Amino acid sequence: YCNGAVYNGDGRAIPVHDCKLDAYCELLEQLDGEHCLTFYGYQHDRDRILERLERYNKGRRDKLRVRVYRTAEDEAAWNAGEVEVLLVHPASCAYGLNLQAGGCHVVWYGLNWSFELNDQGNCRLYRQGSPYDRVFVHYLVVQGCQDKEVMEVIRERAGTHEAVMKAL
């Protein structure tokens, strides 16, 4: 429910709320055209974000260029600065993709329990060779729901990871 939709028994997404979509669009406004890599968790997240951004762009002169990562062409377009919003599932780009040249904002629309995917996802922008001094990571967290627990687990696992790395 945290992301705003659930799948029914037939595999169709049933919208429940738009809170995260609203917060996402507010964040994009605050970024004021700066590029952001957005991680989604479910196909319905991706579809609902695309639909909302299509509405967001209507009537705007400075339309956001939005793309879903699928191929090396999407990677190249992002790194060339041709895309303001690149939607990515973390499992599809956690390793091996060099996305550091396209922007300095990571947005986690869909949270997941995997510290490794979270860490590797953030490292798509935060890596050697980036033209940016800093990377900003934004988590969209629904208060009073499972999202808060996911964030606590990620922080705990990050602490464990750091302790292991120091020990090594």
Side-chain angles (χ1 to χ4, degrees):
Y1 293 112
C2 292
N3 293 4
V6 294
Y7 289 112
N8 70 7
D10 298 330
R12 279 194 354 244
I14 307 299
V16 178
H17 64 79
D18 289 340
C19 298
K20 236 183 214 190
L21 285 170
D22 295 342
Y24 181 66
C25 286
E26 284 180 34
L27 177 59
L28 292 179
E29 284 288 327
Q30 291 171 6
L31 295 181
D32 195 29
E34 290 188 46
H35 300 192
C36 72
L37 179 65
T38 301
F39 289 110
Y40 63 88
Y42 299 98
Q43 290 179 10
H44 68 69
D45 293 342
R46 179 200 60 214
D47 297 343
R48 293 179 76 232
I49 291 169
L50 286 170
E51 181 182 308
R52 175 59 77 90
L53 292 178
E54 191 175 305
R55 283 189 290 165
Y56 179 87
N57 273 336
K58 278 192 178 162
R60 293 175 58 101
R61 286 185 316 195
D62 56 339
K63 295 181 184 337
L64 292 174
R65 296 169 295 174
V66 180
R67 212 159 170 161
V68 177
Y69 172 77
R70 291 189 178 96
T71 68
E73 289 177 12
D74 301 314
E75 178 183 0
W78 166 261
N79 282 323
E82 299 168 2
V83 179
E84 279 84 29
V85 176
L86 183 63
L87 297 172
V88 181
H89 190 279
S92 69
C93 80
Y95 299 97
L97 281 183
N98 294 315
L99 300 172
Q100 72 269 19
C104 63
H105 291 274
V106 175
V107 178
W108 285 89
Y109 183 90
L111 308 181
N112 68 69
W113 296 92
S114 170
F115 165 74
E116 186 176 8
L117 283 180
N118 186 76
D119 186 52
Q120 288 297 317
N122 292 339
C123 287
R124 295 310 92 212
L125 299 189
Y126 183 69
R127 58 190 304 156
Q128 195 170 16
S130 173
Y132 300 98
D133 295 332
R134 292 185 277 182
V135 170
F136 302 92
V137 180
H138 310 271
Y139 293 95
L140 299 178
V141 178
V142 176
Q143 300 297 311
C145 291
Q146 198 73 28
D147 277 358
K148 296 256 316 172
E149 290 180 41
V150 172
M151 289 306 301
E152 288 174 23
V153 168
I154 293 295
R155 281 189 201 102
E156 182 181 304
R157 290 177 180 168
T160 302
H161 176 75
E162 270 186 54
V164 168
M165 295 307 282
K166 280 184 184 179
L168 294 175

